[in-house]
Amino acid sequence: MMCRLTITLAAEARHAGGQDEITITLDVHGEAGAETSVKIHVNGEPVAMQRTGARFTGRAVVPAATHQAIHSVWRGSYGSIVTAVVRLEDGRIAGAYAVTGGIG
């Protein structure tokens, strides 16, 4: 019987001068092996992640103006979008997203 794969994604933005630093944490629940593939992006840009067991951590720097920009005529600023995709060796896949840094 195959166990369910679940992930927990957390992202927090901290303002520093004219930029925001986003701290990202991803926990993989369900048999994360050496060949587990993790892809993290902030606003479509890849983020390098470090692994400790089943936890992956990384940081991204985003101009503060990005979090204040109007994204469409229907929606104002909402911050940065962090996406995560995890694939285990046996083919199971899970994904998640988080929005951080500017919902106002």
Side-chain angles (χ1 to χ4, degrees):
M1 184 162 128
M2 194 177 293
C3 293
R4 183 186 316 196
L5 168 63
T6 59
I7 61 176
T8 304
L9 174 66
E12 180 181 346
R14 291 192 182 158
H15 187 70
Q19 60 190 19
D20 291 342
E21 182 177 336
I22 300 173
T23 302
I24 304 161
T25 304
L26 175 74
D27 290 311
V28 179
H29 312 281
E31 306 158 14
E35 298 299 317
T36 297
S37 172
V38 172
K39 303 289 184 189
I40 305 288
H41 292 82
V42 173
N43 300 327
E45 296 295 322
V47 177
M49 301 294 285
Q50 294 74 44
R51 180 179 182 171
T52 304
R55 173 167 279 188
F56 296 81
T57 57
R59 294 181 191 268
V61 175
V62 176
T66 299
H67 292 163
Q68 300 162 0
I70 301 300
H71 295 283
S72 75
V73 295
W74 300 284
R75 179 73 177 105
S77 59
Y78 55 76
S80 288
I81 299 174
V82 181
T83 58
V85 177
V86 176
R87 181 182 179 135
L88 297 184
E89 295 89 342
D90 63 10
R92 287 182 285 159
I93 298 173
Y97 75 93
V99 178
T100 188
I103 293 181

